[in-house]
Structures are given as C-alpha cells and as structure tokens.
Amino acid sequence: MGFTITTEDSHSPTHSWTDSAGALYPNGLDTSFTSPVFDFTTFDSVQVEFWHTYSTEQGFDYGLVEYSLDGGATWITAAAYDDVQLTWTQATVNLSGAAHQDNVRIRFRFVADTGVNDDGWHIDDI
C-alpha cells in the first residue's frame, strides 16, 4: 500500500492524496510520495503550502513533511502531524535549509507503528 489519489475526500474537487484509500492504514506502514528535483538557488526562502486532514494514533503514527538537499539520498524532517484533525486545514511548512540549494526534493511520508490503525492522512492543493 502506498500513497494514491482518491475521490473519497478532498479540499477542492475532486480528489486528494492519501496513504490508505478506502481503508484504515495497516500496521508498520512507511509510505511516501516525492517531488521532482527543484532548483532554489535564487530563492531566499522556501516553503510548501497544502491542505490536509488526518486521524492517527497520537505519539506513534505520523504524517511527515521532509526535504532533501542531495536529490533524495538523505532527508530532513520539517514538520510532523499526528492525533486527529478532521476538518481541512491549511498548513505552511518552512523549508529554510532549502534556500539557495539546487538539488532539492520534497516528500510527504506517512509512518505507523504496529498498534492502533486509523484513517491516516489526506493531502490536497499542494
């Protein structure tokens, strides 16, 4: 199971990304979707904005926004979301380390332990 596009819920019509379309996420899930490489060498600041909802086991299962400065070899966590947010909410995540870099990728990653399973993370309008 990996991130897929779904029509089960969205902020703007008609679809969003989710880690577990039509089901609860499974134990031990570690899935992501990743951007192409960006060149931010002329940017003094970088941020990513998106809308999302989530329902996870607080303190154990997370939706993560990460970025890489080396094309995806290593990742830096910029934001983590857990617990329950059932209404669509806009998030703005600062990627300050990505400014003036030329080999940047951004990814949305969902990780779960082997305990409680819930609806997971929906992401839209990135």
Side-chain angles (χ1 to χ4, degrees), residues 28-91:
L29 182 64
D30 187 342
T31 186
S32 63
F33 69 99
T34 306
S35 75
V37 171
F38 293 108
D39 181 347
F40 293 132
T41 54
T42 61
F43 291 75
D44 291 329
S45 64
V46 178
Q47 62 187 27
V48 61
E49 295 179 353
F50 57 96
W51 288 80
H52 64 152
T53 65
Y54 49 91
S55 184
T56 72
E57 180 185 15
Q58 184 179 12
F60 296 96
D61 303 341
Y62 296 92
L64 305 169
V65 179
E66 301 174 317
Y67 67 99
S68 173
L69 303 177
D70 53 17
T74 59
W75 295 93
I76 300 162
T77 300
Y81 302 96
D82 70 328
D83 203 12
V84 177
Q85 175 62 49
L86 298 179
T87 58
W88 285 96
T89 304
Q90 187 175 33

Side-chain angles (χ1 to χ4, degrees), residues 3-27:
F3 269 93
T4 59
I5 294 176
T6 182
T7 58
E8 69 187 5
D9 196 7
S10 63
H11 174 257
S12 64
T14 61
H15 57 277
S16 66
W17 286 94
T18 188
D19 55 82
S20 53
L24 302 180
Y25 57 80
N27 287 331

